[in-house]
Amino acid sequence: MARFGLIGRPLGHSWSRTYFTARFRRAGEAHTYDNFELADATALPALLAGTPDLVGLNVTIPFKQAVIPLLDAVDPLAAAVGAVNTIVVRPGHTTGHNTDVEGFRTMLLPLLGTERPRALVLGSGGASRAVVFVLRELGIKFRVVSRSRERGDLTWDMLDPVVIRACPLVINTTPLGMHPAVDGLPPLPYAAVGPRHLLVDLVYNPEETRFMHEGRTRGARVCNGLAMLHAQAEASWRLWSAVLA
Ligand SMILES: NC(=O)c1ccc[n+]([C@@H]2O[C@H](COP(=O)([O-])OP(=O)(O)OC[C@H]3O[C@@H](n4cnc5c(N)ncnc54)[C@H](OP(=O)(O)O)[C@@H]3O)[C@@H](O)[C@H]2O)c1
């Protein structure tokens, strides 16, 4: 039996524990998966010291970048992305990985087919970095929207109908609309959204966010982050299984 878990804050929205608990049960494994809500990423070393049977951790909002300097090693992909969402724990040694890249790629490719539309990426945090990595890989031109001029190409007040019409792919990587604050909505000029658009939300709880609703009711295709959640979780599991083998 091995122990796994999730670090972040808050964790009430996350389905990772439910996902892995069901997965372990189906496989007849006695492994456990717990939520560890940390006040700050710097609490990670104390968590590892106090939980010596931990084999793996997932990392969620808002620690994907903050954990990097606290780890013993970071694999080349996670280093290139600049964000860690999976930690492999061996005795006395932690390695950071990024499986959000695989998760997002797995979700996006079937939605795009052979199309490579211009994209707007809402938010500049840990998940945004994985999204941007995949868009570059696919040769998709994109702009990042941030509250800060330093972290993005555009700020929210610059999003007029012309920008929205020029970007048929809009990807929400902010937590706006995530449970329990389900009324949250990225502030876009939604009147410019139409049937040419694909609105992808990384949020998966609730199943249909307000962002998706605004798109769907204007004829856009919409998708939540559930397929990404499953694909990144399976990729995390493959990394942890290598330790157990
Ligand atoms: N489906 C999946 O598998 C999956 C995987 C990863 C993440 N996610 C979801 O994606 C979301 C982001 O996760 P994350 O780990 O990237 O978090 P994060 O590192 O905290 O980044 C979120 C970014 O969103 C922007 N943001 C935050 N609050 C905002 C607000 N009130 N208004 C406008 N922008 C705001 C910020 O960008 P600026 O500071 O530049 O404005 C921030 O850096 C969460 O809802 C998470 O559950 C889902």
Side-chain angles (χ1 to χ4, degrees):
M1 177 194 136
R3 197 161 177 199
F4 301 89
L6 173 68
I7 60 167
R9 173 177 49 84
L11 295 179
H13 72 279
S14 178
W15 288 3
S16 292
R17 181 169 54 183
T18 311
Y19 180 85
F20 277 109
T21 303
R23 195 189 191 293
F24 296 152
R25 197 166 299 146
R26 273 199 314 274
E29 304 276 10
H31 306 322
T32 59
Y33 190 103
D34 296 310
N35 283 346
F36 299 104
E37 198 161 302
L38 305 182
D40 195 87
T42 53
L44 176 62
L47 172 70
L48 294 170
T51 326
D53 47 347
L54 269 177
V55 170
L57 287 170
N58 284 128
V59 183
T60 188
I61 185 171
F63 299 146
K64 289 182 180 178
Q65 288 146 281
V67 293
I68 291 177
L70 302 166
L71 301 171
D72 298 309
V74 175
D75 94 330
L77 174 65
V81 173
V84 160
N85 79 316
T86 303
I87 301 174
V88 172
V89 186
R90 292 188 172 83
H93 193 273
T94 51
T95 311
H97 298 264
N98 190 302
T99 69
D100 279 341
V101 167
E102 179 172 336
F104 182 65
R105 191 196 289 124
T106 302
M107 176 165 87
L108 186 68
L109 281 177
L111 293 170
L112 290 186
T114 55
E115 286 173 37
R116 296 294 179 263
R118 261 176 204 275
L120 266 189
V121 180
L122 311 178
S124 75
S128 171
R129 283 168 175 260
V131 165
V132 160
F133 187 91
V134 172
L135 296 181
R136 282 208 180 97
E137 214 177 49
L138 297 176
I140 291 178
K141 294 196 172 73
F142 64 87
R143 292 278 180 273
V144 172
V145 182
S146 169
R147 291 166 298 180
S148 135
R149 273 184 187 280
E150 287 71 41
R151 290 193 296 274
D153 305 304
L154 301 169
T155 47
W156 293 92
D157 55 307
M158 294 160 86
L159 299 181
D160 60 19
V162 176
V163 176
I164 299 299
R165 284 192 204 102
C167 297
L169 174 60
V170 187
I171 303 155
N172 178 37
T173 78
T174 79
L176 292 168
M178 181 174 81
H179 176 85
V182 296
D183 284 339
L185 176 69
L188 304 180
Y190 286 96
V193 172
R196 284 179 54 244
H197 280 91
L198 168 61
L199 268 49
V200 177
D201 205 333
L202 265 48
V203 174
Y204 53 84
N205 180 10
E207 217 170 305
E208 182 179 81
T209 59
R210 277 192 70 198
F211 171 68
M212 292 166 60
H213 178 82
E214 293 296 325
R216 185 173 59 76
T217 53
R218 291 178 172 84
R221 283 195 297 150
V222 298
C223 177
N224 68 19
L226 208 51
M228 175 174 173
L229 177 79
H230 292 171
Q232 61 81 27
E234 285 305 307
S236 297
W237 175 246
R238 284 199 299 278
L239 290 166
W240 297 330
S241 314
V243 180
L244 299 177

